[in-house]
Every structure is written in structure tokens, then in C-alpha cells.
Amino acid sequence: MTISKTALPDRETLLRFITENPDRATKRDIAKAFGLKGDDRVALKSMLRELADEGLVQKDRKQLTRPGRLPPVTLIDITTRDSHGGLIGRPANWDDEGQVAPAVAVRTARATGRSAKAGPTAGIGDRVLAKIFPSKDKTGPAYTARVIKLIDRRKDASLGVFRAMPGGGGRIMPIARQAQELVVDDDHAKGAVDGDLVEIQVSRAGRYGLARAQVLNVVGSVASEKAISMIAIHDHGIPHIFPDRVTAEAEAAEPATMAGREDWRQMPLITIDPPDAKDHDDAVHAEPDPSPDNKGGHIVTVAIADVSHYVFAGSALDREALKRGNSVYFPDRVVPMLPERISNDLCSLKEGVDRPALAVRMTFTGTGQKLRHSFHRVMIKSLAKLSYSQAQAAIDGTPDDRTETLLDGVLRPLWDAYEAMRSGRDKRQPLELDLPERKILLDEQGKVDRVVVPPRLDAHKLIEECMIQANVAAAESLERKRQGLIYRIHDAPSLAKQETLREFLATLDLSLSRGNLRANNFNQILANAVGKPHETMVSEMVLRSQSQAIYSPDNLGHFGLNLMRYAHFTSPIRRYADLIVHRALIGALKLGDGGITAEEEAALTDIAADISTSERRAMAAERDTVDRLIAHHLADKVGDTFDGRISGVTRSGLFIALPQFGADGFVPISTLGLDYFVHDEAHQALTGQETGLGYRLGDSVEVRLIEALPLAGALRFEMLSEGRKMPKGARSFHKAKGASARGRRQPGTRAPRGRR
């Protein structure tokens, strides 16, 4: 900021200077910057005292700062990474319980230039002393930091496999990538035996030889499936133990009362969830609209657990929930965002129990057009807890004792309303990529029993459409009130991805229009491929062309759902984004305590970035766990043959999906045969130069399992199916079309046989 040294600055100029110059904002610095002397210095002192009395500035020793602003040198705890791999931290000493601690982008890479200084190398979990600068990038964290000194290395436990050594003690074979092998003395082994998965902490790192560690906890045999999800938890740095203060806060919570709530306990709301669900955060109800102006219309009510009543901004519960971002679901366990006292008890809409909720009542026409909606803070009492299959069976004509009494008064009105909403959905034309979701079922011992594709019932679609409409209503209400919020946004495919898809579709005589694409453009492609040999292949490529959905305070719309505005509102038990939207609604609509704070509003960009990162972290951990579980399950089936499908084509080889297991493995290009194979990106194919035979995305193939590595979650296959004749374009050998490699038959393997 350029300073004019002519007169005492006004309040606004003074505040702006303190904000923009946190490292030179003492009274002396300010007087020097503005050229103040004599009586002007006395007047400056008086002005600064007034600003402090009004809470507009605060003093840290001699340094002046704005409230909620970080001092120029701050202790930072590095907690996560952004989407580009950069380190993100938060101030270690943040005393204001009512404010969200700002995110800080931590720079540790070596700078360039004569005067550049290299900061110490730091990583996730470390505490550093850092120089703080206000960020110029308004889309990222509010601050950037240059590391001055590494204060404390991460001390929480890491995982490894204990390998016993003759004479006692053992070595730790690391689980985490790029970690080093460690030595454990016998008196620090804590009873671990060979093959145990253990939590360890480095106790001494000598200058020579392997570092030494001590075992903190024996998780169990690494050969057991129960250990596999714990590997992912540690590998991805997912917080899984609630601090004592958080647990105490949850245990001290008392059930909500009727104060400030409408009494909706007589409304026959019901929950419909998977049969093994432990928490129930949404309940639904529908009835015909009695208004003569809306004949054939419906009133649909969605009630969502009022988590904001128990989790206030800035509380220990809130800070831990933001740190986790979302619940993480593994086949054998759930790492919840909130303690069970909140998620499975006070905020679970249990049958026959009074529970606080935030509800939206929506009116639809008979053709699914939403006419109006309103939000209410209520007390409900769920009439029944049903499973998807139970509700569907009743509608299909085979009710049980529980659903028979609900059929006419509760279930049929819901299905009638769904038929109307479905008509509206069909007109909207969201992206119709209905890919099957596989579920791993474990037996009583925690071992993989089988992998199933649960049926996709109308009951699932009914609840899904109710939740989508409630989410839209939340975004609309907050926009109408000009209230800041976190949207769930899904951008259109990038131009590069569009062009890649366009080139691929051209090889199948399919076309993708240019210009401003909408979801129905992709639906037309999917419809044209139905029943064709390349149907699966086209679905895979359309899926890959899509952008990733993220959270943002800036609305870009939701391309996949074909919606102009969309905000997650319906799962505050397991998603922090929904909790923010609840608070925003409570504040904007004046529904009582627990509304969004000014500090939260100012931090929405940081919060959205954090929870988007947490979501990606959870998805990666869940995917890695499934890969490891399946590899573990198939480890004793090496040598067996399987029917698979080519799910990926790269310069290095082919990825093979096993539909019956929901797993992927790899066939290296060097094992495909003696031909010289070319990678054709446009055709998504590997083609032999001599024979013209090859393999293409979506092809059904037979493979033999050669290797299964449970800890890495990796499967390696041998191709048994002979390649098929490739289209002429797929045999173009221009270098621009991709790299090529000569297949080399491995010793002990036979030549490919014909496809079955």
C-alpha cells in the first residue's frame, strides 16, 4: 500500500494498513509509515486505543493485528494437502472458540533466486514456526506461510508388519509408501509375533544403520481382513480416534426440547435405509395436495436430523468434525465424523422417539414441477424404520406385518408423489450413468464372503429424488436470502476431455456435438450404444470424461444433475458441508440458535477446500481398502482363470476388471505376445503391428491370476484370450498416437489361446 505522508490517516486507512502489513504494524511502524511526528503521534495513540476498545484491533506485545488475523510469525500444524499436493495447515494456538481457524498454504519447496531462502522440509502432522503472508489468491487459503523452523515432527503412530528375528526383537516392514524399514528391540515389541500388523513410533534415528522403533499397539495378524481397513486409515492420515475433549462434549449433550420448535410428532414420517444402517438422518412423508388450484399435486416433506442443535461453530465437536470432513465407510467399520453419542443416538431419527429436525415441505404439481417450499425447525417422532427392500416388497404386493398397516396411508402416497417427481426428473434430463455399485459382504470372522451388486429398486430412487429436491430447496432459500453457503458443484467436462471422448466415439461411428454441452448430449450417446457390443465401453468413456464434483462457495451449477443450484443439506451426521448449510438456513430464516457465524461465512472458501480434500481422501482410502480386501481374498487362487473385462488401456499394458469381485488387475504389455503392440489413445486399444490383432477397452477376456499382493492391493494377470482384429484406424503407427512396446513372453507361460 502506498502511503501519503501528509496527515493523520483516517480510521479506514489505518485499519487497511494494519491488515495489509501484519509484520510492521507496531505504533512506531505506523507513525514512521505515515510520517507522523509530535502531536500527530499523540493523536495516533488515541485513535489506536479507540480502535482497540471497539474490538477492531488487538495487541500482541507491541504488534497490532486485526481480530481473527494471524500474527506475522505463527506456529502452524500441518494437517492435510490440497488438490495439487501442497501442504495445508492451521494455527496451532487458536483461542477464539467462536471462530474457524483459517487455513494456511505452507511453502516448503526450495525457492529460486539470489535472495531466496530454503525452508525446512516438513510434512503432514508436523508443527512449524512460519512467516505468515496474506494470500493474494482469493480462491485458496487466506494465508501463505514460509517455514522458518521445524518445531516438532509428527509423533502419532504409523503402521508396519512385524517380522520376528532370531534371538528376539524384529524388524518393521513399512506399509506407507516411501517409508523405511525399522528395527524393534525385544523389550519394545509388546508381545508382537511374526506377521502382526502393529502401530509403531520411531524412538531413535541413528546416523548409521536402520532407525529403531517401539511397538505401541498390536492390531492383529496382517493376514486378517480386519487389519486392511486400518492400513488405509493410517496410510491416508484419516483421524479415527476422538480426542477426550470431543468425547466429553458429546457425552454431556442433552436431548433437545420443544423450545423454538414446531410440533410435528403426529406426522407419519418414516425412515427408509439399508437394513444394516446404524444412524437414520432423514425421514420422509407425502400426501395429496388438498388445494383445488393444484389438482393431482403432492406435498412432500423431508425431515433431516438437527445436528446443528448439538454441534455449535467453534466447539470441540465442530473443530473435530471439520478436521474429518466426512464419515469414511469401510466394509468392516465406519470412521464417523461425529461421536456415536451424536450420530447414532441423539441425532438418529429412531422409531417412536422424539428427535429434533430441520424439515422442508415441498409442493409439486402432478407433473413434478415444484411450486413452493418452506423450511421449519421441528420435533418429530418417526412412525417406522423400514429397509429399502421391505418398503419395495410392500408396494410390489407382498407386505409384511409391519408394512401392511402403512401401505395405504403412508407408502402409496409416497410412491404416487415419486411418480410425479420422476416425471419432472425425466424432463430435466440429468446424466443417466446408472453404473452398478458393488458391495463386499464379510462373514462372521470378518473375511470376504462374496461381492454382490445390490438391486436398484424404486425405493432407492424415491429417497434419492426426495433428497435431491430438498438439496435444491436449501440452495434456493439461501440464495433468496443472499446468504453465503457451500454449494455442491459439478462442472461440465473440460474441452480436453470432450475432445478425447469425441475422438474415441468417432471410431465407433458415434458423434458428440460441439459447443455448450448439456447432460442430455451424453444421454443420447449412451442411448445409441444400448444393446451394442461397445455399450460398456462407451459408458466407461463417458464416465471418464466427466469432471469431479467438489464443494465451493461460488456456484457453477451441477452438470450431472442438470441443476442450476444445488447444496448438500440431507446428511449433516456424515458430511460437514451439510452442517454448514443447516447453520446457514437457521441463521438466514431466523430459526433459532445455532446459525452460521460471521467468522464461518468469512471462511467458507477455506472450509470448502478442506472438505473437498477430505472427501477425496475418504474415496481413496475406501478404494484402496476394497483393492486390498479383494487381493487378500484371491491370494490363495493364484493360477485360477477368471472372466474379466478390459477397464483401462495404457502404454504399459491393460487393466482388467473382474466383475464378480469388483476388482482390477494388470496385464503388462510385455506379456501379451511376440508382436509389437501400439497404444492408440483414440481407439483405447493396444494393437499388434504384425497381426493387426489387439485388445480394446470394454473387451471381454479370459485371464489367469499370476500374482496377488494383499498389502499393495495389486493383482497381476496373464492374458489367455487372443486379440481380435482391430479397426483399420487402430493400426495407425504414427508416434503421435502413442508409445509402443514389443511383447515378450515370460518364461514358463504359454501362448494365448482363442477367446471363449
Side-chain angles (χ1 to χ4, degrees):
M1 151 175 205
T2 303
I3 305 299
S4 174
K5 302 182 180 182
T6 57
L8 187 70
D10 58 28
R11 289 161 55 96
E12 183 179 345
T13 302
L14 191 55
L15 289 172
R16 189 165 72 251
F17 178 86
I18 294 171
T19 300
E20 295 176 357
N21 300 274
D23 56 339
R24 55 187 189 101
T26 65
K27 185 176 65 174
R28 183 176 180 180
D29 289 330
I30 296 170
K32 184 177 180 181
F34 287 93
L36 303 179
K37 297 179 180 179
D39 292 342
D40 284 342
R41 287 199 173 209
V42 176
L44 173 66
K45 182 177 180 180
S46 177
M47 184 184 292
L48 291 174
R49 186 183 300 114
E50 289 177 4
L51 292 173
D53 291 342
E54 295 173 25
L56 296 176
V57 298
Q58 58 189 21
K59 198 170 184 180
D60 181 9
R61 294 188 175 93
K62 294 184 178 182
Q63 199 77 29
L64 293 163
T65 62
R66 298 293 305 276
R69 300 277 178 173
L70 296 183
V73 176
T74 305
L75 280 176
I76 299 292
D77 288 330
I78 301 175
T79 57
T80 186
R81 293 185 183 274
D82 61 22
S83 58
H84 303 293
L87 295 172
I88 300 293
R90 291 192 181 275
N93 303 315
W94 187 254
D95 298 327
D96 196 329
E97 296 283 326
Q99 294 189 29
V100 177
V104 182
V106 182
R107 299 200 306 265
T108 60
R110 184 177 295 275
T112 58
R114 280 186 177 181
S115 60
K117 295 182 179 179
T121 301
I124 294 175
D126 293 343
R127 175 170 288 187
V128 298
L129 185 67
K131 182 78 170 176
I132 301 297
F133 306 92
S135 178
K136 297 179 181 178
D137 181 5
K138 302 304 180 184
T139 63
Y143 298 91
T144 59
R146 186 181 71 240
V147 176
I148 299 171
K149 183 179 181 181
L150 183 61
I151 301 297
D152 200 7
R153 284 288 186 189
R154 179 177 181 171
K155 289 186 177 179
D156 58 334
S158 59
L159 279 184
V161 179
F162 183 84
R163 295 300 182 193
M165 296 175 61
R171 291 196 175 190
I172 302 296
M173 311 307 293
I175 296 297
R177 297 176 179 87
Q178 301 178 342
Q180 301 297 315
E181 190 176 335
L182 302 166
V183 174
V184 175
D185 296 329
D186 191 39
D187 55 348
H188 290 151
K190 212 168 186 177
V193 299
D194 192 70
D196 274 349
L197 183 70
V198 294
E199 288 184 294
I200 55 96
Q201 181 176 311
V202 177
S203 56
R204 188 170 74 254
R207 296 179 64 182
Y208 305 103
L210 296 176
R212 308 193 96 75
Q214 57 182 340
V215 175
L216 300 179
N217 180 41
V218 178
V219 177
S221 172
V222 76
S224 72
E225 279 90 340
K226 288 185 177 180
I228 289 176
S229 58
M230 186 58 75
I231 292 174
I233 288 169
H234 279 264
D235 202 15
H236 292 275
I238 294 173
H240 66 290
I241 299 173
F242 285 107
D244 292 341
R245 184 178 178 186
V246 174
T247 304
E249 206 171 88
E251 293 300 323
E254 296 289 340
T257 66
M258 282 297 304
R261 298 183 183 277
E262 299 175 45
D263 191 347
W264 284 20
R265 288 175 291 183
Q266 298 306 312
M267 181 182 289
L269 288 148
I270 62 171
T271 61
I272 305 178
D273 293 293
D276 56 352
K278 293 183 178 179
D279 56 63
H280 310 276
D281 54 5
D282 58 81
V284 293
H285 174 264
E287 61 184 350
D289 186 359
S291 172
D293 297 331
N294 186 29
K295 291 183 179 179
H298 307 269
I299 298 176
V300 177
T301 299
V302 175
I304 305 298
D306 189 359
V307 178
S308 59
H309 174 79
Y310 299 102
V311 184
F312 283 87
S315 66
L317 273 169
D318 180 56
R319 292 196 300 274
E320 183 68 17
L322 175 57
K323 180 180 177 182
R324 296 180 178 224
N326 47 253
S327 298
V328 188
Y329 294 84
F330 301 105
D332 67 321
R333 74 181 76 204
V334 176
V335 179
M337 185 180 79
L338 296 167
E340 288 192 6
R341 168 66 173 161
I342 302 296
S343 61
N344 291 4
D345 185 8
L346 294 176
C347 287
S348 185
L349 307 182
K350 297 180 178 181
E351 180 178 331
V353 180
D354 289 1
R355 284 290 181 256
L358 196 59
V360 56
R361 179 178 283 164
M362 301 172 285
T363 302
F364 294 91
T365 66
T367 56
Q369 179 187 357
K370 187 170 65 116
L371 298 177
R372 67 189 73 91
H373 69 263
S374 59
F375 281 90
H376 308 260
R377 209 167 190 186
V378 299
M379 185 70 74
I380 69 166
K381 182 185 290 185
S382 173
L383 179 63
K385 178 186 75 170
L386 303 181
S387 68
Y388 288 114
S389 57
Q390 190 180 15
Q392 188 68 55
I395 289 295
D396 291 343
T398 56
D400 58 21
D401 292 343
R402 186 73 185 94
T403 55
E404 189 166 17
T405 60
L406 303 171
L407 188 55
D408 292 331
V410 177
L411 292 176
R412 284 205 175 101
L414 268 171
W415 255 259
D416 291 342
Y418 168 59
E419 288 299 323
M421 288 190 291
R422 184 163 64 178
S423 296
R425 182 185 185 278
D426 292 342
K427 291 176 186 174
R428 192 175 80 237
Q429 290 192 313
L431 185 61
E432 298 288 358
L433 263 175
D434 198 7
L435 298 174
E437 291 188 15
R438 289 174 175 82
K439 184 176 182 179
I440 295 179
L441 300 181
L442 306 179
D443 60 21
E444 293 181 357
Q445 286 73 45
K447 296 182 178 296
V448 175
D449 181 25
R450 64 190 187 280
V451 180
V452 300
V453 179
R456 179 84 165 137
L457 306 173
D458 278 347
H460 293 100
K461 298 174 185 177
L462 181 154
I463 295 299
E464 181 181 274
E465 193 61 27
C466 285
M467 299 305 118
I468 288 173
Q469 293 297 336
N471 289 337
V472 171
E476 289 176 346
S477 285
L478 292 173
E479 279 196 358
R480 200 173 296 138
K481 291 291 185 178
R482 301 183 182 276
Q483 168 64 56
L485 70 147
I486 291 179
Y487 294 91
R488 179 66 167 179
I489 63 171
H490 180 220
D491 205 356
S494 67
L495 294 177
K497 287 185 175 182
Q498 288 181 35
E499 197 56 38
T500 298
L501 177 62
R502 198 171 281 116
E503 290 180 6
F504 167 75
L505 292 173
T507 69
L508 301 173
D509 294 324
L510 295 171
S511 63
L512 175 65
S513 60
R514 297 182 183 274
N516 188 22
L517 296 180
R518 299 177 68 87
N520 63 321
N521 295 113
F522 294 91
N523 289 339
Q524 189 60 50
I525 293 168
L526 296 169
N528 291 338
V530 171
K532 307 275 180 64
H534 51 251
E535 179 180 356
T536 302
M537 182 167 41
V538 170
S539 294
E540 291 274 1
M541 288 300 292
V542 169
L543 176 62
R544 294 181 189 190
S545 72
Q546 301 304 305
S547 302
Q548 185 176 24
I550 61 171
Y551 294 106
S552 173
D554 301 315
N555 186 24
L556 296 178
H558 198 293
F559 180 83
L561 293 174
N562 199 12
L563 291 168
M564 293 295 294
R565 52 193 61 82
Y566 190 68
H568 274 165
F569 158 75
T570 53
S571 293
I573 285 177
R574 61 185 181 89
R575 292 187 307 225
Y576 194 82
D578 304 56
L579 180 55
I580 289 290
V581 170
H582 274 233
R583 289 174 180 160
L585 286 165
I586 289 168
L589 303 178
K590 301 186 180 350
L591 296 176
D593 296 334
I596 193 168
T597 65
E599 291 74 23
E600 280 183 297
E601 287 190 68
L604 286 180
T605 298
D606 289 346
I607 294 171
D610 283 354
I611 60 181
S612 294
T613 301
S614 299
E615 181 183 47
R616 289 191 292 270
R617 177 182 68 186
M619 291 169 61
E622 291 165 359
R623 183 174 59 248
D624 287 355
T625 298
V626 169
D627 288 345
R628 287 182 173 121
L629 279 171
I630 296 301
H632 189 280
H633 181 56
L634 297 179
D636 60 352
K637 293 179 172 57
V638 171
D640 289 1
T641 60
F642 299 92
D643 292 325
R645 179 176 51 79
I646 297 177
S647 60
V649 181
T650 71
R651 298 180 180 188
S652 304
L654 302 170
F655 285 96
I656 309 296
L658 302 184
Q660 66 269 46
F661 296 107
D664 284 286
F666 192 66
V667 176
I669 195 172
S670 60
T671 68
L672 284 177
L674 299 177
D675 208 341
Y676 190 85
F677 285 87
V678 173
H679 174 230
D680 187 319
E681 187 174 358
H683 288 78
Q684 289 292 301
L686 287 178
T687 306
Q689 183 173 3
E690 306 253 340
T691 63
L693 301 178
Y695 305 91
R696 195 171 186 184
L697 182 74
D699 283 352
S700 295
V701 293
E702 185 180 16
V703 293
R704 175 184 289 119
L705 181 61
I706 299 301
E707 185 178 32
L709 301 174
L711 293 184
L715 301 172
R716 185 164 63 87
F717 295 116
E718 175 194 6
M719 179 65 71
L720 300 180
S721 296
E722 185 179 352
R724 64 184 176 92
K725 201 73 173 176
M726 287 288 104
K728 201 166 189 181
R731 286 183 272 164
S732 170
F733 302 111
H734 297 296
K735 289 183 180 179
K737 286 293 183 183
S740 56
R742 182 173 300 281
R744 293 179 293 279
R745 178 58 46 192
Q746 297 296 308
T749 63
R750 55 189 178 84
R753 62 187 181 191
R755 295 175 64 202
R756 294 184 178 178

